[in-house]
């Protein structure tokens, strides 16, 4: 496992299995005939599994709970009900199920962890340590057990014991970065700011891009009275970040420059323990382990309910699983007025848009843009949302307002010109579109989206054909596995009558994006032109099954019924070919007629 993955606390597939979240069928009891509750039990279980597969955790928890009431001794149902209760943050039920689980399986890691956290919150540190110790199974369990027990010692004012405990296990290389980070946090909470700064410095030299590390380090040295050092740490992080950097980093730099008092990122053992589970949860959700990551994020929130980073990561996990209402609810739990507020509102607007609540999204972003007229991000978001709904005139207006805020544009601003250019093109304002697309290409000459859009637009209008084809070919060379861009190259060949070349690229495009109706339709057209009619009809029929745009459905049905008529330029090509053929035939006859006759003996 690489150091980069280690810094994000990324788990291997083996580690995910080691989390003990296996899924199994309920006992044979569930399907016994003539059992009054058998159908309801099996139905609740299957419906629960289906709800879970749809990421509807609230419904899944309810259904599993119903099934468990009918078969209270079923350990599989007990585990699934526990996990779903934990997923939705139903702490009272989850704790009760956890106690039942460890009575059957003392090694159930997540149950032991939750009970340990409950005892920690209650101040019962001895009982908490017993539970955390029992959760130390597998590499991840050993890591979380060690860190949890170390923070317990910090809570008991035993910093030396915590540091000693941290140094005992032989953690894998990927975990060392995380262990050292928590060592620095513990030193800060224990009042040893000098040792904390030294530890943070070692971590920061390895990676100065990670926001959480930079914030903890900068706040540590600022809190200890060294604002100059803190300022330098934040600036290094901002320099390595894309764009203007994270709003929390910029806000911290402002506070340092203004001479304000800066608190520690993790001021107590409770926040430190929450940091353990937030870090794991954020890493898991960021690398694809969303459902497991949510469990860890919920445990961080069990300790610190308004933990802004955990709530933001939870909302992001909900967005990944298309639970947009749940994501909005999570964003609403983040304390108002933080430097994250503008970013939160923009994310909420996109979630509202995904729920087809477009007017609410627009009102939220308009208010945000009005509150800070110098902020370009709400305008960009408004343009994107309007463009996604084909409201191109409104989108172009927002992009125009955004561009007016740029000043002197550089490479990172290509997207505003590209986006406005695509809007103008859809509005049939090609001169304005061409200017914007060329400006975007000037800012970012190797941007495949711009190369593709400008190149294809030229070819579609039968102008700058050689230059347009060169742009598309460059886009394909830069992104050979982008089905949409490969389709553009194939369709450009089709538009120019190069049907064999068109088929080659369009077949590749459909391989890359088999679910796209437009690409399948394009391939069908090209196959028809090269005489492969049966295959063409198959592709058109396939396109219809993929929900094409309503205005395209009838066109495709007409092609299925009647085939394709040859366009004028193809007719001209065929006519010319026949004329050449007729001109050549007499000459060949003459040539044959003057050839020497064989000698007849």
């Amino acid at each position: 496992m690489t150091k980069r993955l280690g810094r994000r606390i990324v788990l291997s597939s083996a580690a995910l299995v080691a989390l003990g979240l296996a899924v199994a069928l309920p006992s044979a009891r569930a399907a016994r005939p003539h059992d009054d509750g058998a159908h309801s039990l099996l139905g609740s279980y299957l419906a629960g599994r289906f709800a879970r597969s749809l990421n509807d955790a609230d419904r899944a928890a309810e259904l599993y709970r119903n099934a468990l009431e009918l078969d209270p001794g079923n350990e599989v149902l007990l585990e699934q009900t526990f996990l779903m209760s934990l997923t939705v943050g139903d702490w009272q039920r989850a704790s009760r199920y956890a106690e039942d689980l460890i009575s059957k399986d003392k090694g159930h890691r997540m149950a032991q962890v939750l009970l340990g956290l409950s005892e920690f919150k209650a101040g019962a540190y001895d009982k908490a340590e017993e539970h955390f110790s029992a959760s130390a199974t597998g590499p991840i369990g050993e890591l979380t057990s060690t860190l949890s027990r170390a923070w317990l010692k910090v809570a008991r004012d035993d910093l030396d014991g915590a540091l000693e405990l941290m140094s005992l296990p032989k953690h894998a290389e990927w975990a060392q970065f995380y262990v050292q980070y928590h060592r620095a946090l513990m030193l800060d909470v224990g009042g040893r700011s000098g040792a904390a700064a030294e530890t943070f410095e070692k971590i920061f030299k390895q990676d100065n891009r990670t926001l959480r590390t930079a914030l903890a380090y900068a706040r540590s040295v600022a809190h200890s009275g060294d604002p100059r050092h803190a300022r330098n740490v934040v600036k290094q992080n901002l320099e390595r970040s894309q764009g203007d950097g994270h709003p929390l980093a910029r806000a911290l730099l402002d506070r340092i420059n203004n001479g304000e008092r800066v608190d520690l990122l993790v001021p107590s053992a409770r926040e430190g323990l929450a940091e353990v589970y937030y870090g794991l949860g954020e890493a898991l959700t960021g690398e694809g382990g969303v459902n497991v990551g949510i469990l860890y994020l919920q445990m961080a929130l069990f300790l610190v309910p308004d933990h802004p980073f955990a709530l933001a990561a939870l909302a992001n996990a909900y967005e990944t699983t298309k639970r947009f209402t749940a994501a909005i609810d999570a964003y609403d739990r983040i304390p108002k007025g933080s430097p994250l507020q503008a970013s939160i509102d923009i994310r909420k607007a996109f979630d509202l848009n995904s729920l087809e609540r477009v007017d609410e999204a627009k009102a939220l972003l308009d208010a945000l843009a009005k509150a800070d007229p110098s902020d370009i991000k709400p305008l960009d978001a408004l343009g994107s949302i309007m463009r996604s709904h084909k409201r191109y005139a409104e989108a172009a207006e927002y992009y125009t307002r955004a561009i007016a805020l740029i000043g002197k544009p550089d490479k990172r601003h290509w997207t505003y010109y590209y986006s406005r250019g695509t809007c103008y093109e859809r509005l049939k304002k090609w001169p304005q579109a061409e200017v914007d697309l060329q400006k975007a290409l000037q800012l970012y000459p190797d941007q495949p989206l711009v190369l593709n859009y400008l190149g294809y637009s030229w070819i579609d209008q039968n102008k700058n054909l050689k230059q347009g084809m060169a742009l598309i070919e460059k886009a394909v060379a830069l992104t050979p596995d982008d089905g949409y861009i490969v389709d553009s190259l194939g369709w450009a060949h089709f538009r120019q009558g190069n049907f064999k070349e068109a088929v080659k690229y369009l077949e590749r495009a459909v391989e890359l994006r088999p679910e796209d109706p437009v690409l399948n339709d394009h391939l069908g057209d090209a196959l028809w032109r090269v005489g492969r009619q049966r295959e063409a009809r198959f592709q058109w029929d396939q396109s219809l099954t993929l929900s094409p745009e309503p205005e395209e459905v009838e066109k495709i049905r007409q092609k299925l019924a009647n085939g394709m008529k040859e366009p004028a330029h193809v007719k001209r090509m065929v006519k010319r070919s026949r004329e050449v053929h007729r001109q050549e035939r007499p000459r060949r006859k003459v040539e044959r007629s003057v050839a020497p006759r064989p000698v007849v003996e």
Side-chain angles (χ1 to χ4, degrees):
M1 189 173 291
T2 65
K3 291 182 179 179
R4 180 185 68 83
L5 293 179
R7 288 168 192 151
R8 293 204 62 185
I9 319 300
V10 177
L11 308 184
S12 66
S13 58
L16 289 172
V17 173
L19 288 169
L21 305 181
V23 176
L25 290 172
S27 66
R29 269 192 74 181
R32 269 196 324 215
H34 310 303
D35 186 339
D36 290 341
H39 178 74
S40 176
L41 171 58
L42 183 59
S44 293
Y45 170 73
L46 293 175
R49 289 193 65 175
F50 183 68
R52 189 187 62 195
S53 72
L54 297 177
N55 298 303
D56 188 352
D58 292 289
R59 181 63 175 154
E62 179 185 354
L63 289 163
Y64 279 131
R65 192 162 61 247
N66 292 342
L68 185 62
E69 289 174 359
L70 294 167
D71 189 2
N74 190 306
E75 190 173 336
V76 171
L77 288 176
L78 176 61
E79 181 184 41
Q80 294 305 318
T81 309
F82 162 70
L83 291 174
M84 288 298 102
S85 299
L86 183 56
T87 298
V88 299
D90 186 347
W91 305 118
Q92 186 174 359
R93 286 194 176 99
S95 297
R96 186 172 72 248
Y97 297 138
E99 290 174 352
D100 292 343
L101 266 177
I102 64 169
S103 70
K104 300 173 182 293
D105 177 12
K106 280 194 173 294
H108 196 289
R109 178 179 305 146
M110 302 302 281
Q112 291 285 9
V113 168
L114 179 59
L115 292 175
L117 296 177
S118 297
E119 298 293 359
F120 176 88
K121 284 183 69 175
Y125 296 152
D126 289 339
K127 290 182 179 179
E129 185 157 12
E130 290 177 13
H131 289 299
F132 289 140
S133 297
S135 70
T137 54
I140 300 301
E142 291 173 1
L143 175 63
T144 55
S145 174
T146 299
L147 291 172
S148 298
R149 287 185 292 132
W151 278 110
L152 268 174
K153 290 185 179 297
V154 174
R156 287 167 158 163
D157 295 324
D158 183 10
L159 178 59
D160 289 331
L163 297 175
E164 183 180 357
L165 183 62
M166 296 268 282
S167 63
L168 289 177
K170 299 294 182 181
H171 294 297
E173 184 181 359
W174 63 266
Q176 289 300 323
F177 186 89
Y178 199 51
V179 170
Q180 291 304 311
Y181 170 65
H182 277 273
R183 179 187 292 274
L185 296 176
M186 290 176 191
L187 287 165
D188 253 340
V189 172
R192 301 182 190 178
S193 57
E198 291 177 7
T199 307
F200 274 128
E201 178 63 21
K202 292 177 183 177
I203 299 169
F204 199 64
K205 283 182 178 178
Q206 294 180 58
D207 178 13
N208 60 8
R209 291 188 179 185
T210 302
L211 175 67
R212 199 70 175 161
T213 306
L215 292 177
Y217 185 14
R219 291 176 69 155
S220 172
V221 291
H223 184 75
S224 66
D226 191 350
R228 182 177 180 182
H229 190 175
R231 190 180 300 112
N232 184 51
V233 170
V234 179
K235 285 182 176 179
Q236 285 187 60
N237 178 260
L238 289 172
E239 288 170 359
R240 298 300 299 274
S241 303
Q242 294 183 350
D244 297 328
H246 197 279
L248 286 177
R250 297 198 307 271
L252 178 57
L253 184 60
D254 289 340
R255 292 183 63 192
I256 294 168
N257 288 335
N258 293 334
E260 298 177 27
R261 176 177 172 77
V262 176
D263 295 325
L264 296 174
L265 181 70
V266 173
S268 72
R270 176 182 285 205
E271 279 83 355
L273 191 53
E275 188 78 6
V276 173
Y277 295 95
Y278 155 69
L280 286 166
E282 191 275 337
L284 281 164
T285 56
E287 294 290 336
V290 177
N291 291 329
V292 181
I294 287 174
L295 297 178
Y296 283 94
L297 292 172
Q298 288 286 24
M299 286 192 284
L301 293 167
F302 177 56
L303 291 168
V304 183
D306 61 350
H307 193 301
F309 270 71
L311 286 167
L314 183 63
N316 184 256
Y318 288 146
E319 290 167 345
T320 300
T321 54
K322 302 187 184 304
R323 295 179 61 197
F324 300 111
T325 300
I328 292 170
D329 291 341
Y331 283 130
D332 284 341
R333 290 170 58 189
I334 298 175
K336 303 295 183 185
S338 79
L340 292 172
Q341 193 62 55
S343 299
I344 291 167
D345 287 342
I346 290 172
R347 290 306 317 162
K348 284 173 58 179
F350 279 114
D351 292 336
L352 289 167
N353 180 59
S354 297
L355 293 168
E356 298 298 330
R357 294 159 61 181
V358 182
D359 291 338
E360 292 177 66
K362 185 175 182 295
L364 178 61
L365 291 171
D366 276 331
L368 198 60
K370 185 177 180 180
D372 185 0
S374 65
D375 191 353
I376 199 172
K377 292 187 291 296
L379 298 172
D380 185 25
L382 280 161
S384 296
I385 290 174
M386 294 301 104
R387 190 159 59 112
S388 71
H389 289 279
K390 300 183 180 181
R391 292 162 63 169
Y392 298 116
E394 293 173 81
E397 181 182 346
Y398 284 120
Y399 288 126
T400 297
R401 288 171 58 186
I403 289 170
L405 295 175
I406 290 174
K408 184 179 180 181
D410 55 37
K411 181 178 180 179
R412 60 186 167 149
H413 298 123
W414 70 272
T415 180
Y416 302 112
Y417 292 94
Y418 166 77
S419 299
R420 189 175 68 174
T422 63
C423 292
Y424 284 147
E425 189 271 334
R426 294 302 182 92
L427 292 168
K428 303 188 184 304
K429 297 181 178 181
W430 175 245
Q432 296 99 310
E434 186 175 37
V435 169
D436 272 352
L437 292 170
Q438 288 180 314
K439 180 64 175 181
L441 193 62
Q442 177 190 346
L443 295 172
Y444 194 168
D446 293 329
Q447 171 44 243
L449 291 176
V450 184
L451 290 164
N452 176 61
Y453 207 102
L454 179 58
Y456 182 77
S457 296
W458 277 338
I459 288 174
D460 195 45
Q461 298 174 58
N462 200 33
K463 61 185 291 188
N464 300 337
L465 297 180
K466 185 176 180 181
Q467 187 179 357
M469 185 63 80
L471 293 182
I472 300 175
E473 288 173 343
K474 183 177 180 181
V476 171
L478 290 167
T479 53
D481 294 329
D482 188 316
Y484 298 120
I485 291 180
V486 174
D487 172 76
S488 288
L489 182 55
W491 198 240
H493 278 295
F494 182 91
R495 296 281 294 179
Q496 295 183 80
N498 305 324
F499 300 125
K500 288 184 179 180
E501 283 295 296
V503 168
K504 180 177 75 171
Y505 288 109
L506 292 173
E507 284 182 329
R508 172 61 177 158
V510 169
E511 286 178 8
L512 293 167
R513 289 282 183 177
E515 77 288 352
D516 190 276
V518 174
L519 273 59
N520 281 274
D521 183 34
H522 283 175
L523 176 57
D525 290 1
L527 289 169
W528 184 273
R529 293 296 183 214
V530 296
R532 293 161 62 180
Q533 282 88 355
R534 182 177 297 178
E535 294 171 83
R537 292 184 190 279
F538 173 83
Q539 293 301 146
W540 291 329
D541 188 61
Q542 179 72 0
S543 179
L544 283 178
T545 69
L546 298 172
S547 303
E549 293 293 328
E551 60 268 21
E552 297 299 321
V553 171
E554 186 56 34
K555 296 178 184 177
I556 298 171
R557 286 177 177 164
Q558 286 293 328
K559 288 187 288 188
L560 275 168
N562 306 314
M564 292 179 69
K565 295 180 180 179
E566 291 183 343
H569 73 279
V570 173
K571 289 181 179 179
R572 288 194 296 270
M573 291 167 59
V574 172
K575 181 179 179 181
R576 178 173 176 77
S577 175
R578 288 172 178 168
E579 289 174 351
V580 171
H581 184 66
R582 283 195 298 269
Q583 292 170 2
E584 289 178 346
R585 286 183 64 188
R587 184 166 54 87
R588 286 198 296 271
K589 284 184 177 180
V590 170
E591 290 171 350
R592 284 198 297 272
S593 67
V594 296
R597 293 175 181 269
V599 176
V600 178
E601 295 291 333

